[in-house]
Amino acid sequence: MFCRQVKRLLNDYVDARLDASRKQRLEEHFASCEACRQLSAKMRLLRNELQSLPHASTSDQFLRRLQAELPSSPKVGFWQHLAESWIRLTGVPTVRWSAAGLGIAVLVILMALPHLPWKGEREQEVRLAQSSFAMECVEQHATYTNDQTMPDTITLAQDLKEPVF
Amino acid sequence: MAGATVSTMDMGAGVGVTTLRSATEMEDIDLILVGRCKRNDSGAFEILVHRHKNRLYNFVYRMINNAEDAEDVTQEVFLRAFTRLQLFRGECAFQTWLYRIATNLCVDRSRKIKRQGPPPLSLDEPRDDEGEGNVREIPDERSDPFQEFARQELRRSVQQGLARMSPKLRAVVVLYDIQGLSYEEIAQALRIPVGTVKSRLFNARAELARKLKPYVVAAQ
Ligand SMILES: [Zn+2]
């Protein structure tokens, strides 16, 4: 067995999920390879340590704080989704200046939205989306104007294959 | 909310009862509660929070390594979950969905911090139900002092290694080794293939393992 093959099996070995024959072949390799034996011993120790770390709990005020923050009804999903998709889309560094300009334009349009003849629940929905979107536009704009070295805001999210919400 | 308290008991969120239930049963109960939330039953969301807050907080705490900020981020996770609940269609477990939101928030946060400069390395122990975190720090008089030193060095090294690891690797090792999720659950939470979960887990573990000093390994 080569070191490269051993490494592919190490996760299962330290999690004690290898079948007897593979386990034996791995241990035969360890007998002749100091590097793999060391790595395996360290990984096993590490795994045990991670599993024995004390579990943290929220403070006593957690629920009370959350209740105070919760909106009355979970209905802004669509609008927030739309707003955030837009923010993510325009987070590309090469279009950051046009994005900032476009952001302000959309902000102005959104400000005008409540004056359109919409009533009731729909109007409330728009206002909710508008306020959170407005905040994000302002935040985004601040980032563009202050931070000339805009970091790659989307690379990591892409690594995580982008959230859908 | 008195109604919510009663429902909490019905739904088996009491600590003793919860541990007896199977994972599938837990997921079924979550789905029922999510359905109630979508029908504007605010008490149901409170029960969901009660059921998941400590697990989620522990994940966030291990991801960002700061007890106070972890509480703020966990609050944000639930706020987002609440406002986007209509988008949750049950294609994965509710808990997995919460982990997805939490991971995204933690990754966003480390990106912001990276932008602001290197973070102050805080290794404060988390709040603990039984105050176990503090008790563990007191050396046992019967144990070998060197072994005790090595044990503390092990914990310090692991926590420091986690704090310095890239968030995408950290998320996988925390979800697997600390939170106890399966490869499949992690794949769903992070929207990556199972093969990627396995390779990231290996890379994360190897990165942490290589930082362990030989005397720490020898003393165990
Ligand atoms: Zn080898």
Side-chain angles (χ1 to χ4, degrees):
Chain A
M1 205 179 241
F2 297 108
C3 295
R4 191 164 24 91
Q5 294 169 292
V6 169
K7 279 171 186 160
R8 272 206 290 274
L9 296 175
L10 268 184
N11 270 342
D12 286 339
Y13 180 71
V14 300
D15 290 333
R17 290 204 300 214
L18 275 191
D19 56 72
S21 81
R22 280 179 168 185
K23 184 167 175 269
Q24 196 192 337
R25 278 163 62 208
L26 213 63
E27 284 168 350
E28 278 165 14
H29 179 87
F30 292 155
S32 62
C33 179
E34 172 68 15
C36 286
R37 185 172 63 237
Q38 276 275 339
L39 183 60
S40 143
K42 284 182 173 183
M43 275 177 67
R44 179 162 280 178
L45 181 63
L46 167 81
R47 175 187 161 278
N48 292 343
E49 173 61 16
L50 286 170
Q51 290 185 350
S52 69
L53 284 174
H55 274 244
S57 308
T58 56
S59 73
D60 297 339
Q61 295 87 46
F62 187 85
L63 279 174
R64 214 178 321 126
R65 265 186 68 202
L66 185 64
Q67 275 169 350
E69 299 268 337
L70 281 178
S72 55
S73 141
K75 279 193 171 170
V76 285
F78 172 74
W79 290 100
Q80 221 160 29
H81 179 57
L82 194 73
E84 281 171 25
S85 306
W86 186 85
I87 295 286
R88 270 203 301 276
L89 196 73
T90 55
V92 183
T94 47
V95 298
R96 61 181 189 256
W97 289 108
S98 52
L102 194 63
I104 294 165
V106 175
L107 180 62
V108 169
I109 295 166
L110 276 172
M111 288 295 204
L113 276 180
H115 305 294
L116 296 173
W118 287 346
K119 290 277 171 259
E121 200 176 284
R122 186 168 170 76
E123 192 181 47
Q124 197 191 348
E125 246 183 29
V126 172
R127 207 181 304 125
L128 270 169
Q130 178 200 339
S131 58
S132 80
F133 190 26
M135 280 310 294
E136 285 187 69
C137 285
V138 169
E139 213 178 283
Q140 182 97 344
H141 183 63
T143 314
Y144 289 143
T145 46
N146 294 334
D147 188 1
Q148 297 295 317
T149 53
M150 181 79 173
D152 50 339
T153 44
I154 57 161
T155 18
L156 270 170
Q158 273 174 343
D159 272 328
L160 293 168
K161 294 285 183 279
E162 280 295 309
V164 276
F165 28 82
Chain B
M1 275 179 224
T5 316
V6 174
S7 316
T8 304
M9 307 290 281
D10 291 341
M11 291 296 177
V15 179
V17 188
T18 307
T19 50
L20 295 175
R21 291 184 184 275
S22 72
T24 329
E25 216 175 324
M26 293 287 290
E27 286 173 24
D28 289 348
I29 294 169
D30 281 346
L31 285 181
I32 294 169
L33 288 166
V34 168
R36 283 202 201 169
C37 288
K38 287 181 177 177
R39 293 191 297 275
N40 285 331
D41 175 351
S42 62
F45 190 73
E46 203 181 320
I47 303 168
L48 281 170
V49 174
H50 187 76
R51 287 162 67 81
H52 295 283
K53 67 182 172 67
N54 286 341
R55 247 191 311 268
L56 208 62
Y57 174 78
N58 190 60
F59 169 67
V60 172
Y61 171 73
R62 292 298 170 195
M63 281 296 286
I64 70 179
N65 206 32
N66 177 311
E68 229 171 272
D69 288 2
E71 184 130 326
D72 290 345
V73 173
T74 312
Q75 290 260 331
E76 184 62 24
V77 174
F78 283 115
L79 284 172
R80 284 202 185 191
F82 185 76
T83 54
R84 291 153 199 225
L85 209 57
Q86 302 295 345
L87 297 168
F88 174 69
R89 308 256 180 257
E91 64 283 340
C92 63
F94 181 68
Q95 176 183 255
T96 307
W97 189 65
L98 288 178
Y99 277 128
R100 186 185 301 164
I101 300 177
T103 307
N104 285 319
L105 283 173
C106 292
V107 168
D108 280 351
R109 185 183 172 279
S110 31
R111 211 184 292 142
K112 271 181 202 150
I113 286 178
K114 204 175 166 189
R115 207 184 299 167
Q116 287 160 4
L121 195 60
S122 147
L123 292 175
D124 53 343
E125 272 300 302
R127 272 181 294 273
D128 197 305
D129 273 345
E130 292 87 30
E132 203 182 358
N134 295 329
V135 176
R136 283 177 186 210
E137 295 311 310
I138 302 166
D140 184 345
E141 280 173 27
R142 289 161 298 181
S143 73
D144 175 1
F146 174 70
Q147 209 167 3
E148 180 55 33
F149 170 73
R151 200 199 55 77
Q152 282 177 12
E153 170 60 22
L154 170 64
R155 180 148 297 181
R156 194 199 60 79
S157 170
V158 168
Q159 293 192 347
Q160 198 171 65
L162 270 181
R164 290 180 176 165
M165 180 175 282
S166 87
K168 66 178 184 183
L169 285 191
R170 196 191 306 143
V172 173
V173 74
V174 172
L175 286 173
Y176 190 84
D177 280 326
I178 301 180
Q179 301 299 116
L181 268 67
S182 67
Y183 290 145
E184 289 72 21
E185 286 169 324
I186 298 173
Q188 284 182 326
L190 305 185
R191 293 181 172 281
I192 53 177
V194 171
T196 310
V197 175
K198 288 182 184 174
S199 65
R200 283 190 191 175
L201 179 67
F202 176 78
N203 290 336
R205 280 172 164 183
E207 185 180 320
L208 292 173
R210 289 195 179 102
K211 289 189 167 125
L212 301 181
K213 298 193 175 76
Y215 75 83
V216 171
V217 186
Q220 307 300 318

